[in-house]
């Protein structure tokens, strides 16, 4: 049958299938055009110190400023970009932009930290370590103030290789964070094998804190962080009661809509200016 369906032999024409393939081709062409036309933009979300609720750093989050569809979040294009193999290119650009910008903020706010996300394809890119070294040099960013975030599923795909690459990155002086912490790991012993400094407590645990059972899960995740001597940052904090609870649990840093949403660089600059003038977020 495979032969009967071979090239040139009429397979029954499926308009839905055809339309889907056509759409996919158009989407891919659009992503390539967007890269060439600089339609991607880096947004920044404050990471705050839960004690004083002042901004200690930011997470860089990529957006696509689409000419017709407006500002699109990564969920709308990252999988497609990944399947096209362009994420290392896009991610390299994000890293460059974010480091240049953060170097400027570091002159305003000493010790200001920058977090940048890395996908599996970026971690697997043999040029990654050189890229990070070069961008640190060009931007003049203090290496220890750059935090590279990766999810457990990325880090644990090939533990030995990940440990090697992360070790090389750590030799540059940068720090490593495990993103969406608690949602993916298969074995705690893997954690010990990776040179990780920070864990980002997944939003699902923060959101579940209001329930009795959920509260103990968040507590347990924070306890694991402490045991492995990892600095915890809570993600997705959306209200004051969550922030209060996290303070009680001695989580030092957090990020979420309760403090600020991701925003363009210019808005972030204005926020930092208000903050250094002694005003709150
Ligand atoms: P992530 O690294 O876990 O980033 C946190 C996500 O949570 C962001 O979504 C952020 O906008 C969202 N968020 C922050 N605070 C809250 C809150 O209080 N409530 C809720 N519901 N959400 C909140 P975003 O920007 O859509 O990014 C989604 C994911 O895309 C990121 O998850 C990260 O895995 C990936 N990503 C983003 N930018 C990049 C990038 O430059 N490179 C790579 N490789 N991946 C990226
Ligand atoms: Mg992240
Ligand atoms: Mg996360
Ligand atoms: Mg996530």
């Amino acid at each position: 049958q495979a032969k009967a369906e071979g090239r040139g032999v009429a397979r029954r024409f499926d308009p839905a299938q055809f339309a889907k393939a056509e759409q996919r081709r158009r989407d891919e062409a659009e992503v390539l055009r967007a890269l060439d036309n600089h339609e991607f933009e880096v947004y920044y979300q404050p990471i705050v110190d839960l004690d004083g609720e002042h901004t200690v750093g930011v997470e860089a989050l990529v957006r696509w400023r689409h000419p017709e569809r407006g500002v699109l979040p990564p969920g709308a294009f990252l999988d497609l970009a990944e399947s096209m193999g362009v994420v290392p290119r896009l991610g390299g650009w994000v890293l460059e932009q974010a480091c240049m910008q953060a170097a400027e903020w570091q002159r305003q706010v000493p010790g200001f930290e920058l977090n940048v996300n890395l996908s599996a394809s970026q971690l697997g890119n043999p040029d990654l370590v050189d890229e990070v070294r070069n961008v640190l040099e060009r931007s003049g960013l203090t290496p220890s103030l750059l935090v590279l975030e990766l999810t457990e599923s990325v880090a644990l795909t090939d533990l030995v290789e990940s440990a090697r690459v992360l070790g090389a990155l750590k030799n540059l002086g940068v720090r490593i964070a495990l993103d969406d912490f608690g949602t993916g790991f298969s074995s705690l012993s893997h954690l010990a094998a990776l040179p990780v400094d920070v864990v980002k407590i997944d939003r699902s645990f923060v959101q579940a804190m209001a329930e009795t059972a959920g509260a103990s899960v968040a507590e347990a995740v924070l306890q694991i962080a402490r045991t492995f001597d990892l600095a915890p940052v809570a993600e997705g904090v959306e209200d004051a009661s969550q922030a209060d609870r996290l303070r009680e649990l001695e989580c030092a840093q957090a990020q979420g809509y309760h403090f600020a949403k991701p925003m363009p660089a210019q808005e972030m600059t204005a926020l930092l200016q208000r903050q250094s003038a002694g005003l709150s977020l």
Side-chain angles (χ1 to χ4, degrees):
Q1 297 88 333
K3 200 171 178 192
E5 287 185 3
R7 200 194 307 262
V9 178
R11 193 197 299 190
R12 187 160 304 171
F13 180 70
D14 179 345
Q17 199 67 33
F18 180 76
K20 224 175 122 190
E22 274 301 295
Q23 185 59 48
R24 165 104 188 178
R25 259 190 292 279
R26 276 196 299 272
D27 290 346
E28 290 186 352
E30 261 203 294
V31 168
L32 294 176
R33 185 211 62 206
L35 278 165
D36 288 340
N37 293 356
H38 311 287
E39 290 171 20
F40 292 100
E41 182 173 338
V42 185
Y43 271 39
Y44 299 91
Q45 184 177 36
I47 297 173
V48 306
D49 168 2
L50 274 169
D51 264 345
E53 296 202 354
H54 62 274
T55 307
V56 294
V58 284
E59 176 172 5
L61 294 160
V62 69
R63 296 289 181 267
W64 178 358
R65 197 174 282 280
H66 192 282
E68 286 114 38
R69 295 161 66 200
V71 178
L72 303 177
F77 59 84
L78 215 53
D79 283 350
L80 177 64
E82 196 71 74
S83 73
M84 294 168 64
V86 297
V87 167
R89 179 176 162 201
L90 176 61
W93 177 84
V94 168
L95 183 70
E96 167 92 23
Q97 290 288 308
C99 285
M100 291 299 179
Q101 181 59 71
E104 209 172 287
W105 288 331
Q106 280 181 4
R107 288 191 278 276
Q108 284 172 256
V109 184
F112 192 82
E113 295 178 11
L114 170 67
N115 286 38
V116 177
N117 292 287
L118 292 184
S119 74
S121 65
Q122 291 176 272
L123 197 69
N125 173 10
D127 298 331
L128 177 69
V129 178
D130 283 338
E131 264 181 35
V132 174
R133 185 188 298 110
N134 288 337
V135 78
L136 286 171
E137 269 171 30
R138 275 199 306 281
S139 62
L141 200 72
T142 307
S144 62
L145 298 176
L146 175 61
V147 182
L148 298 174
E149 298 189 1
L150 59 162
T151 61
E152 294 158 88
S153 53
V154 168
L156 299 181
T157 311
D158 181 345
L159 192 65
V160 174
E161 177 61 7
S162 295
R164 189 189 66 74
V165 178
L166 295 185
L169 289 169
K170 292 229 32 154
N171 282 340
L172 300 176
V174 306
R175 283 177 297 148
I176 306 296
L178 276 188
D179 206 346
D180 306 344
F181 182 66
T183 57
F185 59 84
S186 40
S187 160
L188 283 178
S189 62
H190 290 164
L191 269 187
L194 294 170
V196 174
D197 307 277
V198 175
V199 288
K200 312 249 338 231
I201 312 288
D202 191 68
R203 176 169 91 225
S204 58
F205 300 117
V206 173
Q207 243 110 70
M209 263 185 337
E211 304 140 34
T212 323
S216 43
V217 176
E219 230 178 296
V221 174
L222 277 161
Q223 190 57 54
I224 290 167
R226 210 157 295 145
T227 304
F228 285 90
D229 202 21
L230 305 167
V233 180
E235 296 191 286
V237 177
E238 293 184 351
D239 59 51
S241 68
Q242 290 168 346
D244 288 341
R245 187 70 192 114
L246 286 163
R247 257 186 295 267
E248 282 167 19
L249 295 174
E250 289 174 51
C251 178
Q253 295 184 350
Q255 161 181 10
Y257 297 165
H258 173 60
F259 308 106
K261 289 198 169 174
M263 63 188 90
Q266 257 193 333
E267 277 178 43
M268 190 62 217
T269 301
L271 183 152
L272 291 176
Q273 278 161 356
R274 285 197 303 279
Q275 184 173 279
S276 51
L279 303 169
S280 65
L281 289 184

